[in-house]
C-alpha cells in the first residue's frame, strides 16, 4: 500500500483541534499525538510543529501543557531563547509550576550559564509546588550546576 503525501495545509487541517472538536482535557493528548506522528513519519519538521502548536497555545492561554510542548519543540530545535520565553510564559500563568523552573534551570545549564541555572532551580524549589520526584531532580541538577561552577563544598 502506497502512502499518499499530504500537503502542509492538508496535514495541518488533519491536526486542527477545532475540526476534531477536542475538549480542553484532550488537547494534551492531541499535542503528544502530533509530535509522535512527526517523529514516526520522520518529518523532522519543527517549523510545522510550531505552526500547529502556536495557535493552540494562543487560543488556550491557560493550557500549560500545550505551551510546555511548544517549549520542548523549541528546545529540541536548539532554539533555547524561544524555549526560555515559553517556559517564562508558563510561569506568568502559573507561578508555582515547578517543572518550568527546573526546565529553565536546565536550559541555562545548556547555555553554560550555571549561575542562572542555579537561580531558576532554587527559585522553583522556593516557589513551586513540590513533589518527591521533582525535589530529587532539582537537587541533582543543583549538585551538577554547583560542581560545574566550582561552587561546591
Amino acid at each position: 500500500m502506497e502512502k499518499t503525501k499530504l500537503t502542509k495545509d492538508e496535514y495541518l487541517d488533519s491536526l486542527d483541534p477545532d475540526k476534531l472538536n477536542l475538549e480542553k482535557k484532550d488537547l494534551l493528548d492531541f499535542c503528544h499525538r502530533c509530535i509522535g506522528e512527526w517523529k514516526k513519519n520522520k518529518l523532522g519538521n519543527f517549523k510545522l510543529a510550531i505552526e500547529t502548536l502556536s495557535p493552540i497555545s494562543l487560543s488556550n492561554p491557560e493550557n500549560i501543557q500545550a505551551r510546555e510542548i511548544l517549549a520542548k519543540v523549541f528546545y529540541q530545535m536548539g532554539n533555547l531563547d524561544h524555549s526560555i520565553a515559553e517556559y517564562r510564559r508558563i510561569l506568568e500563568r502559573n507561578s508555582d509550576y515547578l517543572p518550568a523552573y527546573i526546565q529553565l534551570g536546565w536550559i541555562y545549564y545548556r547555555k553554560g550559564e550555571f549561575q542562572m541555572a542555579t537561580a531558576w532551580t532554587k527559585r522553583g524549589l522556593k516557589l513551586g509546588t513540590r513533589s518527591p520526584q521533582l525535589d530529587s531532580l532539582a537537587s541533582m541538577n543543583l549538585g551538577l550546576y554547583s560542581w560545574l561552577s566550582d561552587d561546591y563544598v
Side-chain angles (χ1 to χ4, degrees), residues 80-81 84 104-120 145 149:
L80 302 182
D81 291 331
I84 288 169
L104 280 167
W106 189 255
I107 294 167
Y108 280 108
Y109 152 72
R110 294 294 308 259
K111 290 180 76 169
E113 298 179 28
F114 306 128
Q115 288 182 332
M116 287 293 287
T118 300
W120 276 107
Y145 309 151
S149 61

Side-chain angles (χ1 to χ4, degrees), residues 94-105:
N94 185 354
S95 62
D96 65 349
Y97 190 62
L98 183 54
Y101 289 103
I102 292 172
Q103 285 303 116
L104 280 167

Side-chain angles (χ1 to χ4, degrees), residues 58-115:
L58 290 173
S59 65
N60 298 292
E62 300 300 322
N63 190 312
I64 290 172
Q65 293 88 356
R67 192 162 296 282
E68 187 171 25
I69 292 169
L70 186 57
K72 289 176 183 178
V73 169
F74 283 126
Y75 178 82
Q76 290 175 350
M77 289 175 57
N79 193 334
L80 302 182
D81 291 331
H82 277 86
S83 186
I84 288 169
E86 291 301 324
Y87 281 115
R88 296 207 50 182
R89 285 185 188 105
I90 290 170
L91 292 173
E92 288 171 6
R93 296 277 182 196
N94 185 354
S95 62
D96 65 349
Y97 190 62
L98 183 54
Y101 289 103
I102 292 172
Q103 285 303 116
L104 280 167
W106 189 255
I107 294 167
Y108 280 108
Y109 152 72
R110 294 294 308 259
K111 290 180 76 169
E113 298 179 28
F114 306 128
Q115 288 182 332

Side-chain angles (χ1 to χ4, degrees), residues 15 22 24 26 42-43 56-57 60 85 92 106 115 128-129 135:
L15 299 175
L22 291 177
K24 273 190 171 182
D26 297 324
K42 295 185 171 79
L43 293 176
I56 294 169
S57 296
N60 298 292
E92 288 171 6
W106 189 255
Q115 288 182 332
T129 301
D135 284 359

